[in-house]
Amino acid sequence: MSVRVRYAPSPTGYLHIGNARTALFNYLFAKKYGGTFIIRIEDTDIERNVETGIENQLEMATWLGLDWDESIDKPGAYGPYRQLERLEIYQKFANQLLASGHAYKCYCTKEELDAEKEALLAKGDDRFHYSKKCLHAPEQDKPFAIRFNVPASKSYTFNDIVKGEVTFQSEDVGDWVMVKQNGIPTYNFACVVDDHLMEISHVLRGEDHITNTPRQMMVFEALDWTIPTYGHMTLIVNHDGKKLSKRDHDILQYIGQYQDKGYLPEALFNFIALLGFSPGEKELLTKEEMIEAFDATKLSNHPATFDTQKLDYFNAQYLKRLEMDALKTLTRPFVEKEGILKGRSEEWFESLLAVFQERMVCGEDIITLYHDFLEQPFTWDDEAKQVMSEPTVKSLIHTFAASFKALKPYDPTSLKALIQASGEATGSKGKMLFMPLRLATTGSMHGPELPKLLHLLGQDLIQQRLAQSIAWLNGAS
Ligand code: GLU
């Protein structure tokens, strides 16, 4: 049997972490087992659809590094891939189920249904199973919904890839609405028709859908269709072990928010792939390595904690490995918006990034790092003063400062040459070359590569600091 899996987003919102995980695992599953990955748009909940929901889902999935074989933008042989364009198909099967007695028309009005619910609640029954009042109702010229006629006393058992054997009893499911009064199918019905017609072999989705599975199995059985293999992935929980909710403000919930902050899609892909799957000791894996390591039988049955610190660690690791061009592309929007590049060369931008690359967690960090750095006071502590009092320092700083003012072009290459030349001219080497120069220009003993740092701070500021240092040295001797 060929593997065909699907990610079936409802465009009722933007791509959320939970859905991104579902999409990603379906993608991994297809890639690992040589299957086909489909994205089907489940847009039948018309009132809840948001305008750019579909666009965002596909755009963010692409940004994350996913690609698919069939969808609205890649029509295959099983389309259309958007449920609102498949209404006639659902109608046909709904009629078939009406004819076979597996479904019936329900003429109850909203008021009647509300009254039924109230009566049930008064009896302490909050399951709200429909009374089956319309099961044998004669044909009427009134608006109707179509309900599934749930069989009495039947067990529904399936072997879940993640959870093992799962059983539901039909008593726990009321006669549910398959097609609403407006002729639009509900999720549980449309999903089955599509999973069948699109020849979906495996359904991997979030645990929140597990109670839908018996409903869906009923339809498969009633239509005499083969039931796919199910896998319900465990919940993603926050630091308190609670289900990730859109109200958790300390966790960014939407993939687009990570893009906006300058996270790297590769890092996010890697991190999300570990929410419910462990490839082994090595966790930092490329997409290809993750596909290789993926094993559906190893999907975890324990809730996956969304550890923001771990995500930041991952992103920092990926950022460190980034080539300069990619780092520039990632950070340029932030520095441009902040106006930091105004009047500055590309080379200056590169110095900025080279100096801070190691300390960034995500792209936008460059802004705070830069400002914090500029605001650092230029002072020496006692240890620094001791270094600056060493006998060779005075002539070194004088020599360096003498050529500094006229240094042209002012860039890391010329600065490096000047440092070397000043060292040679005064016989200062290694630590006794770099440390006093660093102190005389930045106030710190240690820090990022000196030529780049000096380039970054600019010729005027360094000139000023050298003058201050020289004044101190003259006063000290
Ligand atoms: N449209 C459903 C959702 O967004 C899909 C559930 C499924 O994969 O069956 O949750």
Side-chain angles (χ1 to χ4, degrees):
M1 187 180 67
S2 64
V3 167
R4 287 178 57 83
V5 291
R6 86 304 191 276
Y7 165 55
S10 299
T12 51
Y14 291 172
L15 184 59
H16 183 263
I17 291 161
N19 282 335
R21 193 225 2 207
T22 303
L24 196 147
F25 277 92
N26 276 287
Y27 168 85
L28 288 176
F29 194 94
K31 291 285 168 203
K32 174 74 185 198
Y33 304 113
T36 304
F37 177 42
I38 296 144
I39 296 192
R40 178 174 77 223
I41 306 296
E42 300 201 329
D43 55 352
T44 58
D45 199 349
I46 299 173
E47 294 84 37
R48 289 184 57 225
N49 289 343
V50 298
E51 205 182 325
T52 49
I54 299 179
E55 235 173 274
N56 181 273
Q57 289 276 345
L58 298 185
E59 208 180 292
M60 287 301 109
T62 305
W63 180 73
L64 257 188
L66 306 186
D67 59 70
W68 43 93
D69 305 294
E70 299 168 24
S71 190
I72 51 170
D73 60 343
K74 271 196 187 173
Y78 298 79
Y81 292 89
R82 186 180 173 150
Q83 290 188 327
L84 283 181
E85 291 172 19
R86 299 171 64 81
L87 296 182
E88 279 174 25
I89 304 175
Y90 308 124
Q91 193 58 54
K92 181 179 133 199
F93 291 107
N95 288 340
Q96 199 173 312
L97 290 170
L98 283 172
S100 64
H102 287 101
Y104 60 93
K105 292 181 184 172
C106 172
Y107 300 97
C108 290
T109 60
K110 187 177 175 303
E111 291 68 32
E112 284 171 299
L113 293 171
D114 286 347
E116 246 192 31
K117 278 189 185 172
E118 246 171 69
L120 283 171
L121 203 56
K123 282 195 278 175
D125 181 352
D126 60 359
R127 295 178 313 163
F128 301 130
H129 289 175
Y130 176 61
S131 64
K132 283 186 185 273
K133 194 163 89 186
C134 290
L135 178 57
H136 301 295
E139 193 72 25
Q140 298 168 44
D141 191 19
K142 277 188 8 194
F144 62 88
I146 302 176
R147 285 188 187 267
F148 193 87
N149 183 11
V150 175
S153 315
K154 206 175 156 185
S155 291
Y156 291 89
T157 298
F158 57 99
N159 215 335
D160 192 280
I161 300 179
V162 183
K163 309 212 161 276
E165 198 175 280
V166 182
T167 301
F168 286 95
Q169 305 301 335
S170 64
E171 280 75 26
D172 296 327
V173 183
D175 285 359
W176 51 278
V177 173
M178 283 169 37
V179 181
K180 292 192 272 188
Q181 280 195 356
N182 61 7
I184 308 237
T186 58
Y187 154 68
N188 276 311
F189 178 52
C191 173
V192 172
V193 172
D194 291 348
D195 283 346
H196 172 72
L197 294 180
M198 295 181 181
E199 294 182 26
I200 300 303
S201 59
H202 298 76
V203 171
L204 290 181
R205 59 186 172 202
E207 190 177 78
D208 46 335
H209 282 292
I210 201 158
T211 52
N212 287 319
T213 305
R215 289 179 179 78
Q216 298 183 8
M217 289 170 78
M218 289 171 195
V219 182
F220 275 107
E221 282 186 3
L223 289 163
D224 207 13
W225 291 341
T226 310
I227 298 171
T229 303
Y230 290 102
H232 290 91
M233 290 172 284
T234 52
L235 293 178
I236 303 176
V237 295
N238 63 19
H239 295 281
D240 302 328
K242 297 220 178 69
K243 185 181 172 213
L244 206 62
S245 129
K246 289 175 189 159
R247 285 179 296 273
D248 286 329
H249 294 300
D250 51 343
I251 296 183
L252 298 179
Q253 307 273 323
Y254 294 95
I255 300 301
Q257 292 175 297
Y258 289 96
Q259 184 190 38
D260 290 348
K261 287 176 83 69
Y263 277 79
L264 290 166
E266 297 80 5
L268 210 54
F269 183 104
N270 192 161
F271 173 78
I272 295 174
L274 301 176
L275 293 174
F277 172 66
S278 56
E281 226 156 82
K282 191 172 167 225
E283 287 204 308
L284 283 171
L285 298 177
T286 63
K287 186 160 77 175
E288 287 65 34
E289 288 169 333
M290 197 57 89
I291 294 169
E292 181 64 31
F294 185 72
D295 180 349
T297 64
K298 285 197 193 146
L299 288 171
S300 162
N301 199 2
H302 303 289
T305 305
F306 192 97
D307 181 346
T308 42
Q309 278 180 4
K310 182 170 174 175
L311 170 59
D312 284 353
Y313 169 77
F314 271 40
N315 209 66
Q317 296 305 311
Y318 275 83
L319 252 169
K320 279 185 191 142
R321 296 186 205 158
L322 223 53
E323 300 282 342
M324 183 49 79
D325 278 350
L327 191 58
K328 275 160 76 175
T329 308
L330 179 78
T331 50
R332 194 181 295 278
F334 301 105
V335 285
E336 268 179 359
K337 190 164 169 238
E338 191 75 9
I340 290 175
L341 288 188
K342 225 173 276 162
R344 256 113 187 210
S345 66
E346 244 351 72
E347 231 183 343
W348 184 90
F349 184 27
E350 285 173 19
S351 291
L352 174 75
L353 295 174
V355 164
F356 293 118
Q357 183 166 16
E358 290 285 318
R359 283 151 65 185
M360 288 164 70
V361 166
C362 59
E364 72 168 15
D365 284 354
I366 192 68
I367 305 299
T368 347
L369 284 165
Y370 173 68
H371 288 306
D372 286 355
F373 169 71
L374 280 193
E375 279 157 24
Q376 261 172 33
F378 176 61
T379 51
W380 295 335
D381 58 16
D382 288 345
E383 204 187 345
K385 284 179 185 157
Q386 212 174 329
V387 173
M388 293 307 282
S389 309
E390 293 287 330
T392 53
V393 170
K394 194 171 171 179
S395 73
L396 169 68
I397 305 299
H398 270 107
T399 308
F400 182 80
S403 310
F404 182 86
K405 200 174 173 183
L407 193 65
K408 225 175 161 180
Y410 188 76
D411 62 22
T413 316
S414 62
L415 281 158
K416 195 172 168 191
L418 177 60
I419 296 171
Q420 291 308 339
S422 312
E424 275 158 33
T426 59
S428 312
K429 277 193 213 126
K431 199 175 140 198
M432 278 323 291
L433 170 61
F434 282 93
M435 210 177 257
L437 280 177
R438 192 181 284 283
L439 279 169
T441 51
T442 73
S444 305
M445 299 249 224
H446 310 279
E449 224 182 301
L450 193 57
K452 289 197 172 121
L453 197 58
L454 298 185
H455 183 213
L456 197 60
L457 287 167
Q459 202 158 8
D460 290 347
L461 180 68
I462 298 300
Q463 175 69 28
Q464 224 176 294
R465 289 181 174 180
L466 282 169
Q468 264 175 274
S469 301
I470 286 170
W472 186 88
L473 287 167
N474 288 340
S477 59

